[in-house]
Amino acid sequence: MLQRAFESRGMTIMSECRAVAARREGDGVVVTLADGREVRGSHCLMAVGSIPNSAGLGLEEAGVELLPSGHIKVDKVSRTSNRHIYAAGDVTGVFALASVAAMQGRVAMWHSLGDAVTPLDLRLVSSNVFTTRRSPPSGCRSVRWTRARCA
């Protein structure tokens, strides 16, 4: 949705490019890419993913299974492969939103204390896209991935 909006306004989207530097030059910006190309523009928006910083923590020795990406494998109550260790947030790779991390933490805490909990259901996660005031507000609350109500 954002990509279409940007492209309709004349922006060039350069996905899967690695930027190594960005600098101001006059009224614009110049971004140097890993392949040596330089891209000039009035603005630069960089969207980057995250890589979990889980290496070297001794998780494997503690019986915590890591995914090939380095994320900690958890079940629906945020329990790891070591039943006494829970993990929540971006390091799990579940859904990188603060609301999801907070809910994972609450579910893990309640579960570890022996309370009956409702496992995390990603179909019920709310999310928003924030834009400028000129754009109509966008927000989706997904009841099912196939049936979403958007405002």
Side-chain angles (χ1 to χ4, degrees):
M1 182 169 105
L2 283 177
Q3 182 171 343
R4 281 195 311 260
F6 287 158
E7 288 172 337
S8 71
R9 288 171 173 83
M11 285 188 188
T12 302
I13 307 297
M14 301 182 74
S15 59
E16 299 184 29
C17 289
R18 182 173 298 274
V20 294
R23 68 182 185 277
R24 285 185 174 271
E25 194 169 283
D27 289 342
V29 63
V30 178
V31 177
T32 305
L33 303 178
D35 64 8
R37 289 182 293 161
E38 288 192 339
V39 180
R40 297 173 186 281
S42 61
H43 293 78
C44 173
L45 171 67
M46 292 184 177
V48 297
S50 63
I51 299 170
N53 191 12
S54 56
L57 297 177
L59 294 171
E60 295 94 337
E61 291 83 1
V64 175
E65 183 180 346
L66 297 178
L67 299 173
S69 62
H71 290 96
I72 298 173
K73 184 177 179 181
V74 295
D75 61 16
K76 296 287 186 186
V77 294
S78 298
R79 186 175 41 205
T80 68
S81 52
N82 178 329
R83 297 180 53 83
H84 303 288
I85 298 176
Y86 293 77
D90 294 356
V91 74
T92 65
V94 171
F95 206 38
L97 290 174
S99 57
V100 173
M103 182 53 75
Q104 281 182 304
R106 285 191 293 273
V107 168
M109 180 216 34
W110 293 326
H111 190 267
S112 69
L113 294 173
D115 289 351
V117 297
T118 301
L120 184 65
D121 185 350
L122 293 177
R123 294 174 302 159
L124 302 177
V125 172
S126 295
S127 61
N128 290 298
V129 176
F130 298 98
T131 61
T132 65
R133 282 189 226 146
R134 285 180 254 154
S135 302
S138 302
C140 295
R141 181 181 182 276
S142 179
V143 176
R144 293 194 180 158
W145 288 115
T146 55
R147 241 180 26 197
R149 289 190 343 237
C150 295

